[in-house]
């Protein structure tokens, strides 16, 4: 017969823990406290535990992504919390400039995430070469081999589920998505648009920047937003802006806004990692 092993999670004084410890030490409770975990390094519950030579552990949520999974042991099942990197899935049809910024940030240790798979509907899209240059898994979806867009999206969903991605990013994805895939990843599906939405929703690439100049805007920028059934109409996650100055052209605005897109993606993803923004 083994003693019942207790794990304790606490953020405050831990008065109830003291009662349990006293009962164990007085021989009234045939159990042991194996570890005391807190999310606050100065919580008094940790001092109580250390006063009785119990193992303690401090978890800093700001340094991690968080995932809950199921586990089991001989005496039953329980929920186990484990720290994992945020897993990103990327869909792209073009050059993938924003992806490069994300990869660089991960490799420099600035972003605690991983790109689990990069998916494209164009086998020669440069975004795939970017991914392969960094030994990332790639996948090409050929829409012409499917009877419908929904059928093709089911294959994309299968790959994203296989890689257990937490967040899907659209980076230059040039196809309209159906409710099949949108509903599967609702709240975990982000796009970046090269304007300060809701302005110029539905516009693409240089056409947006030309419209900004034609309308004599003094400010432009980008928007990271959730993907929903209506194009460019999802909840705004984050925006970054820059000034429109004399001499700007659609091409110069594209360069300025594209630099902001990378910053915007990174800042929004970091909020998820830090626990400041929830998905789903």
């Amino acid at each position: 017969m083994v003693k019942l092993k207790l794990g304790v999670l606490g953020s405050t004084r831990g008065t109830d823990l003291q009662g349990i410890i006293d009962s164990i030490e007085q021989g009234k409770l045939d159990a042991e406290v194996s570890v005391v975990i807190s999310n606050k390094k100065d919580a008094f519950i940790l001092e109580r535990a250390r006063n009785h030579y119990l193992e303690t552990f401090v978890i800093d949520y700001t340094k991690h992504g968080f995932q809950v999974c199921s586990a089991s042991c001989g005496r039953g099942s329980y929920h186990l919390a484990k720290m994992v990197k945020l897993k990103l899935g990327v869909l792209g049809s073009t050059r993938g400039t924003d992806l490069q910024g994300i990869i660089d940030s991960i490799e420099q240790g600035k972003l605690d995430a991983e790109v689990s798979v990069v998916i494209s509907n164009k086998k020669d899209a440069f975004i795939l070469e970017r991914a392969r240059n960094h030994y990332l898994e790639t996948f090409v979806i050929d829409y012409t081999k499917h009877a419908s867009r929904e059928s093709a999206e089911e294959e994309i969903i299968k790959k994203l589920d296989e890689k257990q991605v937490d967040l899907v990013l659209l980076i230059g994805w040039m196809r309209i998505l159906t409710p099949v895939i949108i509903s599967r990843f609702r709240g975990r599906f982000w796009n970046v648009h090269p304007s300060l939405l809701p302005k110029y929703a539905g516009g693409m690439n240089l056409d947006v920047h030309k419209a900004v100049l034609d309308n004599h805007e003094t400010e432009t920028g980008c928007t990271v937003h959730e993907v929903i059934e209506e194009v460019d109409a999802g909840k705004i996650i984050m925006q970054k802006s820059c000034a429109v100055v004399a001499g700007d052209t659609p091409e110069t605005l594209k360069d300025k806004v594209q630099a902001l897109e990378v910053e915007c993606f990174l800042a929004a993803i970091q909020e998820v990692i830090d626990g400041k923004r929830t998905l789903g």
Side-chain angles (χ1 to χ4, degrees):
M1 193 69 167
V2 294
K3 287 186 177 182
L4 183 69
K5 293 185 177 182
L6 307 176
V8 176
L9 274 64
S11 306
T12 55
R13 293 187 57 80
T15 305
D16 292 343
L17 173 63
Q18 188 64 59
I20 293 170
I21 292 172
D22 291 346
S23 284
I24 291 172
E25 292 183 347
Q26 293 164 12
K28 298 176 181 178
L29 185 67
D30 191 23
E32 67 180 57
V33 178
S34 298
V35 64
V36 177
I37 300 173
S38 182
N39 63 315
K40 296 183 178 180
K41 64 181 180 180
D42 55 353
F44 189 71
I45 193 171
L46 296 174
E47 185 173 336
R48 287 188 192 274
R50 292 169 188 144
N51 287 341
H52 295 269
Y53 307 101
L54 300 178
E55 181 176 344
T56 61
F57 180 73
V58 177
I59 179 65
D60 185 348
Y61 276 69
T62 67
K63 295 181 178 178
H64 299 276
F66 199 68
Q67 175 175 308
V68 178
C69 64
S70 296
S72 62
C73 65
R75 290 179 294 231
S77 63
Y78 57 95
H79 288 290
L80 171 67
K82 68 174 183 178
M83 308 317 298
V84 294
K85 287 187 176 181
L86 186 71
K87 293 184 177 181
L88 307 175
V90 175
L91 274 62
S93 308
T94 54
R95 294 186 56 81
T97 304
D98 293 345
L99 173 62
Q100 189 64 58
I102 293 170
I103 292 171
D104 290 346
S105 193
I106 290 172
E107 292 185 346
Q108 293 164 12
K110 298 177 181 178
L111 189 70
D112 192 23
E114 65 179 52
V115 178
S116 298
V117 65
V118 177
I119 299 173
S120 183
N121 63 312
K122 295 185 177 181
K123 65 180 181 180
D124 57 353
F126 189 70
I127 193 171
L128 295 174
E129 185 172 336
R130 287 189 193 276
R132 292 170 187 143
N133 286 342
H134 294 270
Y135 307 102
L136 300 177
E137 182 174 339
T138 61
F139 180 72
V140 177
I141 179 69
D142 186 348
Y143 275 70
T144 66
K145 293 182 178 179
H146 292 267
S148 65
R149 287 188 297 161
E150 290 82 358
S151 173
E153 289 177 0
E154 289 288 358
E155 191 171 351
I156 296 173
I157 291 170
K158 182 179 178 181
K159 176 57 68 173
L160 293 171
D161 283 347
E162 175 189 312
K163 304 309 296 183
Q164 297 182 312
V165 302
D166 302 303
L167 176 63
V168 183
L169 307 178
L170 298 187
I171 297 180
W173 182 253
M174 305 303 286
R175 296 196 66 103
I176 299 297
L177 297 168
T178 77
V180 168
I181 193 167
I182 292 171
S183 61
R184 175 64 183 80
F185 296 100
R186 192 174 302 281
R188 301 189 294 127
F189 214 158
W190 292 359
N191 181 47
V192 64
H193 186 74
S195 76
L196 296 173
L197 291 175
K199 289 186 175 181
Y200 309 107
M204 295 180 67
N205 203 8
L206 290 175
D207 290 342
V208 172
H209 306 305
K210 183 176 184 301
V212 167
L213 293 171
D214 289 345
N215 290 326
H216 307 290
E217 302 277 10
T218 59
E219 183 182 52
T220 188
C222 67
T223 304
V224 171
H225 65 92
E226 289 185 4
V227 176
I228 62 172
E229 287 75 5
E230 295 77 27
V231 175
D232 299 332
K235 183 177 88 172
I236 291 174
I237 302 297
M238 186 172 292
Q239 292 183 314
K240 288 188 177 290
S241 62
C242 62
V244 180
V245 299
D248 266 330
T249 66
E251 290 75 18
T252 62
L253 284 185
K254 177 179 179 178
D255 289 342
K256 289 199 289 188
V257 170
Q258 200 155 55
L260 292 177
E261 289 176 7
V262 176
E263 293 179 14
C264 208
F265 260 144
L266 291 175
I269 293 168
Q270 189 62 54
E271 285 191 347
V272 175
I273 294 170
D274 290 344
K276 298 176 180 177
R277 182 178 298 279
T278 56
L279 299 174

